[in-house]
Amino acid sequence: MSVSLFPGVGAGTLLESTLLAEDRSMRIGAIHRLDYTEAIVLTHDKWKFEAGGIPQYTFLLATARDIDGDSHDDDEVLLLRVDGTAPLAMESDLHAVREEALRAALSSNGDASPSVVLDVNLDPFTKNRVSFTGLRCRILGTFYETDVDGSKRLDFGADVDNFYATSTYRVLKPIGDGLSEIASYLKPSDNDVERVRIGAVRYSATRRRAKAAKQDDSAVTVNIHDFIGTKTGLLGMTRMGKSNTAKIIIARTFVVSERRRANGEGPIGQLIFDPQGEYANPNTQDGTEIAAIGDKHVRIFKFGADGTEPHVRPLGINFFDPEQVGAVQGLIADKLRSDGSAGYINDFAVTRFTDVQGDFGETTRAQRGRLILYASLIRAGFALPKYNAGTTRPFSVLVAMKEPLRDAVEQTTNKKLFTPAGRTTFAVKGSDIRDVVDAVIDLRNAGDAEAVKFCDDVRWTSTEPIYTGQTGQSGNVRGWRNLLDLKEFHNEATQADPAEEIYAELTQGRIVIVDLHVGAPPIVKTLSENITRRLLAKQTSVFTSGAVPPSIQVMLEEAHNLFSSDKYKDDGDVWVKLAKEAAKLNIGMTYATQEVSGVAHQVKANTANWVVAHLNNTKELQELSKFYDFGAFAPAILSSEDRGYVRLKTLSSPYIVPVQIDRYDANLVNEARAAAGDPPLAPKN
């Protein structure tokens, strides 16, 4: 009867079938030295060649299992990662043997050329001895089997709880499905799991041996739910594949959203700020775009749209539409702050310029406020619309004004300015607005009692300094001149505040692309902030009511400009507020940047998923090295400029995986369309 020298080391069937089967791994050596964090692996040139090479960062498996034994308890396999080379115990002696052979060749030949001396044939015994090499490997953790409700499950611990004599270990290189199992391993949890392919394992920039050995397409799958409701960082230089990865995440998230919808659950809205127009428009890199998922599912907001295409909406505001006056007020208030902290600015920002149904007094005062607000816009050069919003009536404004004041205004201007439009209201043509406002101000200054009453509301008093450029407290102010930069926002075709319309689309589970590649930077910045501010306000309102806010994902480019350390100190900054409050408001956030150090530490510390492409300087790598063990990959990240070659760490993955990200293409678009019940796109010529 034999006695087992290694109790607890047996033949786990799940470990064998998943990781160690002949078609899933290849023997490449043994353990030379082992501790709790590092292993030195002994291998041979012939074994490395037969295994298709062993580049840096290769995953290896070390097992002391006796596959012929009858013990099935406590089986485990160590997961190693090759970080470099290591000297062997007799390596210096073997170097001496080779050196002596070279010296002998030099002495015995009259020809001292390199080909004669250095290409000397060693005897087979010596040649084999010098062909052994050592691999320095980090121990990432331990795979083992657990029993859950009567079934076996592969589990992973990020350390070592025991080890045996080094001579008992076999070391194997995972290949094919075995490598895919390791690269795609997810920590067990109670969260939703839906595996999707994102790419293939790629250890090195040089892939000749991997392709020759057919080891270049071991699939890497991720749990797409890891990217929903969390922060994801896409880090790397421009044109290194960050946007391609973002498109894959967006398309896969759309599939999940449509499945939720089909099951009667709330869908997921996705908001994409697109500064280069690459999500809304086809490009040579992908050959397709996110918008190709379909007009029913994607809304594009952009400057210059005329509203004739239902899925392409105008990006801008009709500054003369009473229904959009709230957005107009917000934009103007932001610009006015350049005038300092004058009292009229605060009053203007907090008062209400919208009609109140059923309240004649409030509506009357709101109309008067809009009258002088529109006069300010006209003075700043805003083009008057041809028609009132949503109608074919020539543009005019309504105002309630008593007959004595109307008569005085018309006498002052010597013009017929008022057309009856109701029992107490009158219409004023757009071209006459400034005449009416100027006359009212002159009459008020002259002491006309009706004019004084007409101008005594905060809506008028807080807007008059904008129109006149003067205030009693501080003299001259920029006033209407602040509005000059806002003229690009004005779009008569806009039927509603884009921020409101965008939020409504998001709650319906649509992908909303805000195409910002056309537009002056100040305008783009202000509009983006206005949209985000409205999103946060809406989600906060739902949250504070006790309900669960709808699921929304936000995609941001150039994150170093939004989340810098200095800005992160400003709780009033809309982007900082988004970063801090996104999780509780059910908002997931994907941010892209080429400046890791430019993003506040707090944002990175709360980033669940990391996609790291090529970075070209050590400063960024030093910052990256503060997180997980990205420092081990720093030399390769610095040197490898291959597009789509990334190091991936997701919420559910316990370790970093080197991946070649798949290309976003028509197949992925059609997969998304199929989830929504739509036919595939016709192939392009």
Side-chain angles (χ1 to χ4, degrees):
M1 179 178 176
S2 63
V3 178
S4 174
L5 298 178
F6 313 108
V9 181
T13 56
L14 185 59
L15 286 169
E16 180 68 28
S17 62
T18 304
L19 302 178
L20 305 177
E22 288 187 3
D23 61 342
R24 290 180 174 241
S25 61
M26 300 178 66
R27 180 82 182 268
I28 60 96
I31 295 293
H32 178 65
R33 189 169 69 250
L34 182 70
D35 62 25
Y36 287 102
T37 60
E38 187 177 77
I40 305 302
V41 171
L42 177 69
T43 186
H44 189 277
D45 290 345
K46 183 175 186 297
W47 305 337
K48 288 184 288 186
F49 176 81
E50 292 173 345
I54 302 180
Q56 193 177 18
Y57 310 115
T58 299
F59 290 122
L60 298 177
L61 300 173
T63 175
R65 298 170 63 257
D66 178 7
I67 61 175
D68 298 319
D70 57 2
S71 173
H72 299 275
D73 179 50
D74 194 29
D75 285 289
E76 58 189 37
V77 174
L78 301 183
L79 177 64
L80 315 178
R81 184 187 67 213
V82 177
D83 279 355
T85 61
L88 299 176
M90 297 183 62
E91 192 163 322
S92 59
D93 294 339
L94 294 172
H95 284 318
V97 170
R98 183 168 186 267
E99 182 181 346
E100 180 58 30
L102 296 177
R103 290 179 183 275
L106 181 61
S107 300
S108 61
N109 286 280
D111 185 357
S113 64
S115 59
V116 171
V117 175
L118 298 180
D119 296 344
V120 62
N121 288 322
L122 298 177
D123 65 272
F125 179 75
T126 303
K127 187 173 182 179
N128 269 324
R129 293 187 69 193
V130 300
S131 295
F132 282 98
T133 53
L135 302 173
R136 177 173 51 83
C137 301
R138 175 171 177 171
I139 299 178
L140 300 180
T142 307
F143 283 111
Y144 59 97
E145 297 178 14
T146 56
D147 192 298
V148 180
D149 298 327
S151 62
K152 292 288 186 181
R153 183 179 74 185
L154 195 64
D155 219 328
F156 181 83
D159 55 17
V160 177
D161 65 351
N162 188 33
F163 63 87
Y164 302 101
T166 57
S167 61
T168 65
Y169 283 93
R170 296 177 298 130
V171 177
L172 305 100
K173 176 187 176 183
I175 58 173
D177 291 341
L179 177 56
S180 183
E181 287 283 349
I182 293 170
S184 307
Y185 179 79
L186 304 178
K187 295 177 290 187
S189 74
D190 296 328
N191 298 330
D192 293 336
V193 175
E194 183 172 344
R195 290 179 176 272
V196 296
R197 174 172 168 135
I198 198 168
V201 177
R202 180 176 183 177
Y203 291 130
S204 61
T206 304
R207 307 183 75 188
R208 183 178 70 85
R209 293 189 183 278
K211 290 181 177 181
K214 294 182 171 51
Q215 296 176 10
D216 61 328
D217 195 34
S218 292
V220 178
T221 62
V222 296
N223 180 12
I224 189 59
H225 291 277
D226 285 350
F227 298 86
I228 299 172
T230 63
K231 289 186 180 66
T232 297
L234 305 177
L235 315 176
M237 298 301 297
T238 302
R239 311 313 300 167
M240 285 294 107
K242 299 191 298 296
S243 297
N244 178 73
T245 305
K247 291 173 186 176
I248 293 174
I249 295 170
I250 291 164
R252 298 291 194 188
T253 300
F254 177 79
V255 172
V256 174
S257 176
E258 289 304 300
R259 288 176 183 166
R260 284 190 184 183
R261 192 195 304 276
N263 293 332
E265 304 173 44
I268 304 167
Q270 299 189 73
L271 174 59
I272 304 166
F273 290 102
D274 185 8
Q276 305 299 328
E278 58 189 316
Y279 297 90
N281 306 290
N283 59 78
T284 55
Q285 180 177 338
D286 303 326
T288 187
E289 70 281 0
I290 288 293
I293 292 173
D295 296 353
K296 293 188 299 182
H297 316 296
V298 180
R299 293 289 184 268
I300 300 171
F301 287 77
K302 67 178 183 179
F303 290 106
D306 58 10
T308 57
E309 297 179 272
H311 73 290
V312 181
R313 309 296 302 142
L315 187 58
I317 297 171
N318 184 347
F319 276 64
F320 294 93
D321 180 6
E323 296 298 321
Q324 301 179 55
V325 71
V328 173
Q329 181 185 358
L331 289 171
I332 292 176
D334 284 343
K335 290 297 294 182
L336 288 176
R337 290 191 173 91
S338 63
D339 265 358
S341 57
Y344 84 92
I345 298 174
N346 294 328
D347 289 341
F348 177 83
V350 300
T351 194
R352 178 171 180 161
F353 287 80
T354 53
D355 295 343
V356 180
Q357 189 173 4
D359 190 328
F360 176 76
E362 278 294 296
T363 298
T364 295
R365 287 185 283 273
Q367 289 174 344
R368 294 173 182 174
R370 293 200 298 271
L371 179 72
I372 190 168
L373 176 60
Y374 293 164
S376 303
L377 296 173
I378 296 168
R379 186 171 187 184
F382 281 69
L384 281 168
K386 294 179 181 178
Y387 307 105
N388 286 91
T391 75
T392 56
R393 296 193 306 272
F395 178 71
S396 62
V397 297
L398 297 177
V399 64
M401 186 180 291
K402 291 183 178 181
E403 184 177 357
L405 183 56
R406 294 200 311 274
D407 292 342
V409 168
E410 291 185 336
Q411 289 174 6
T412 300
T413 60
N414 197 28
K415 292 174 66 176
K416 179 69 175 175
L417 299 172
F418 301 97
T419 302
R423 188 170 61 87
T424 59
T425 57
F426 296 83
V428 177
K429 291 188 298 183
S431 58
D432 294 333
I433 289 175
R434 287 197 63 187
D435 289 338
V436 172
V437 169
D438 287 340
V440 169
I441 291 174
D442 289 343
L443 290 167
R444 190 270 318 275
N445 292 341
D448 183 277
E450 290 299 327
V452 170
K453 291 180 182 178
F454 189 88
C455 303
D456 68 355
D457 183 68
V458 66
R459 296 161 182 79
W460 185 283
T461 58
S462 65
T463 309
E464 186 174 328
I466 302 174
Y467 178 66
T468 62
Q470 295 178 333
T471 176
Q473 290 116 357
S474 57
N476 294 334
V477 293
R478 279 181 51 82
W480 59 270
R481 297 172 184 84
N482 282 305
L483 311 186
L484 297 174
D485 291 339
L486 299 179
K487 286 194 289 185
E488 288 187 59
F489 281 106
H490 178 45
N491 188 333
E492 182 182 352
T494 306
Q495 299 296 313
D497 176 4
E500 292 284 346
E501 194 175 352
I502 285 170
Y503 185 76
E505 298 286 4
L506 292 173
T507 60
Q508 295 299 312
R510 291 193 174 92
I511 299 172
V512 177
I513 302 173
V514 183
D515 188 347
L516 302 171
H517 81 285
V518 176
I523 300 300
V524 167
K525 176 179 181 294
T526 304
L527 191 58
S528 301
E529 291 177 353
N530 185 54
I531 293 169
T532 306
R533 191 175 290 110
R534 194 67 55 89
L535 167 65
L536 289 171
K538 291 287 189 181
Q539 292 289 93
T540 300
S541 177
V542 176
F543 178 76
T544 54
S545 71
V548 178
S551 294
I552 293 174
Q553 298 287 114
V554 179
M555 171 66 204
L556 301 169
E557 298 275 358
E558 304 297 327
H560 51 277
N561 293 328
L562 307 178
F563 305 126
S564 66
S565 297
D566 290 339
K567 291 188 70 172
Y568 207 79
K569 300 171 185 176
D570 181 8
D571 289 335
D573 184 271
V574 65
W575 304 112
V576 172
K577 190 174 182 181
L578 174 66
K580 289 183 176 180
E581 300 183 8
K584 76 174 183 181
L585 297 179
N586 214 13
I587 299 174
M589 189 175 78
T590 300
Y591 64 90
T593 181
Q594 62 266 33
E595 296 182 22
V596 184
S597 59
V599 177
H601 178 83
Q602 296 91 329
V603 175
K604 291 177 292 201
N606 287 287
T607 295
N609 308 293
W610 297 70
V611 184
V612 182
H614 167 64
L615 293 166
N616 69 354
N617 67 88
T618 56
K619 177 186 176 183
E620 304 306 326
L621 291 169
Q622 287 170 357
E623 181 64 25
L624 179 67
S625 298
K626 297 177 183 178
F627 299 91
Y628 298 104
D629 62 338
F630 281 110
F633 293 87
I637 294 172
L638 183 67
S639 61
S640 302
E641 300 183 46
D642 299 73
R643 182 176 295 172
Y645 180 20
V646 307
R647 286 80 193 165
L648 176 69
K649 171 68 177 72
T650 66
L651 179 63
S652 296
S653 173
Y655 38 77
I656 297 169
V657 180
V659 181
Q660 177 64 45
I661 299 293
D662 287 340
R663 182 179 176 185
Y664 176 80
D665 58 14
N667 291 330
L668 197 50
V669 171
N670 287 332
E671 181 182 331
R673 291 174 62 86
D678 294 339
L681 295 174
K684 294 182 179 180
N685 293 329

